[in-house]
Amino acid sequence: MNLRMKNLLMMVIGAFMYGIAVNWFLLPHEIGDGGVVGLAAIGYYALGIPPDISNIVLNALLLLLGYRLLDKKIIFNSLWAVIWISVFLRLPNFLDYTTDQTIIPATVAGLLMGFGLFLIFNAGGTIAGSTVLGEIGNRYLGMKRGNAMLIFDLAVAIPSGFIIGFENMLLTVVELYTCAMFLNKLRSFFGAKKSVTIITNKTEEVTGALSNTLKQGITLINSTGYYHKQSREMIYLICSDKQVANIFPLISNIDKNAFVVVDDVHSVKGEELPRIL
């Protein structure tokens, strides 16, 4: 199975988890959501409109907006994910789970939706709705996807209290917050990148060891110390959290006095690095 097919399959799995979260945990407890799904839920509670129909129609409009602002590949992947979410929204509720402790389905739904979004995002898609707006916010404003989505989702969730009641509106906020934070944690844990800057008197030895170990590009930057006016090359590279853990003992074995700075990277662009973190 090639990478393209794996990504399409991953989006289907993510759409399944998202659809199950809505259909089996949110709707039976009259809990809302944000973005298009939140509007679809309101339409279902107030007018009895099937959420899968609302999901397709409303997202089609947003995908038209995204078509002019985002990569065409993302738009296609988003359409693929939206179609499958609508399919899974039509699945019968075999679980038939209801409880008076409604914080439980709100939290479980948030976790399922966060994990589903993680799979869809990692495969290069979105679920349209607020995720298209979140993608735009991430790309053009530098916001984290989860945070950008949360802002747009709350714009729908808070007014929904007039339909589902104040308590269920608060549960909706809990679900959205859980989803956004879990999504950010997953992306941080599995896809986070670090920038590493190294100043050492043994530049050639350290660079060679890093290159042999990491098997990736490393940049040398000409620099001059202000106090001693001494020129030397700084080592700069982008790597994962796991690679950072291996870098420190490697550098220490060569130069115990090396100066190393590690920073979080919010976004990168390159052939082998994910664009959105």
Side-chain angles (χ1 to χ4, degrees):
M1 183 183 296
N2 60 35
L3 180 60
R4 180 60 176 161
M5 292 301 297
K6 288 181 179 179
N7 285 339
L8 291 175
L9 179 59
M10 185 180 296
M11 283 187 278
V12 173
I13 297 172
F16 173 75
M17 299 185 71
Y18 197 93
I20 291 300
V22 175
N23 218 26
W24 293 14
F25 291 95
L26 296 186
L27 297 184
H29 298 91
E30 293 193 355
I31 301 173
D33 194 23
V36 166
V37 175
L39 293 174
I42 292 174
Y44 174 73
Y45 298 141
L47 304 173
I49 301 174
D52 56 300
I53 301 299
S54 302
N55 184 59
I56 285 289
V57 173
L58 295 176
N59 275 318
L61 299 176
L62 279 172
L63 286 173
L64 288 176
L65 170 64
Y67 188 82
R68 299 181 61 86
L69 299 173
L70 301 175
D71 294 339
K72 304 305 179 285
K73 183 178 179 180
I74 292 178
I75 297 301
F76 173 80
N77 290 344
S78 300
L79 180 61
W80 173 262
V82 166
I83 290 173
W84 279 104
I85 287 175
S86 292
V87 169
F88 293 130
L89 283 175
R90 294 190 65 87
L91 288 179
N93 187 347
F94 299 112
L95 184 62
D96 196 25
Y97 169 72
T98 56
T99 176
D100 293 333
Q101 304 295 322
T102 45
I103 188 67
I104 297 175
T107 304
V108 172
L111 293 173
L112 286 174
M113 294 167 81
F115 193 68
L117 288 174
F118 169 72
L119 294 178
I120 293 171
F121 285 163
N122 268 21
T126 74
I127 60 167
S130 60
T131 56
V132 167
L133 299 176
E135 183 83 22
I136 294 171
N138 178 273
R139 178 163 299 188
Y140 296 105
L141 300 178
M143 302 170 65
K144 284 188 175 182
R145 273 179 171 173
N147 294 344
M149 286 172 50
L150 181 60
I151 292 172
F152 295 126
D153 285 339
L154 289 175
V156 172
I158 293 177
S160 71
F162 293 104
I163 303 295
I164 62 179
F166 181 73
E167 181 177 329
N168 281 10
M169 183 271 289
L170 292 179
L171 289 169
T172 300
V173 173
V174 170
E175 173 262 312
L176 289 173
Y177 181 81
T178 302
C179 175
M181 294 304 103
F182 190 49
L183 172 61
N184 284 342
K185 289 293 183 182
L186 287 172
R187 293 191 65 81
S188 176
F189 184 79
F190 289 102
K193 297 293 178 182
K194 302 287 186 181
S195 69
V196 182
T197 303
I198 306 164
I199 301 175
T200 173
N201 291 322
K202 300 180 179 180
T203 303
E204 192 65 32
E205 295 93 326
V206 171
T207 305
L210 290 173
S211 181
N212 290 333
T213 301
L214 301 180
K215 307 298 183 183
Q216 67 173 59
I218 298 173
T219 301
L220 296 178
I221 304 173
N222 292 324
S223 62
T224 302
Y226 176 78
Y227 186 77
H228 292 290
K229 305 299 181 183
Q230 183 179 7
S231 297
R232 69 179 65 184
E233 291 180 319
M234 292 193 306
I235 304 169
Y236 181 82
L237 65 147
I238 301 292
C239 61
S240 67
D241 279 339
K242 183 178 179 180
Q243 289 173 319
V244 168
N246 296 326
I247 283 176
F248 279 98
L250 185 149
I251 297 172
S252 181
N253 287 336
I254 300 173
D255 183 4
K256 294 183 178 180
N257 296 318
F259 183 72
V260 182
V261 179
V262 179
D263 290 312
D264 291 324
V265 176
H266 296 291
S267 64
V268 293
K269 183 177 181 180
E271 289 297 325
E272 298 181 1
L273 294 175
R275 173 163 171 69
I276 307 299
L277 301 181

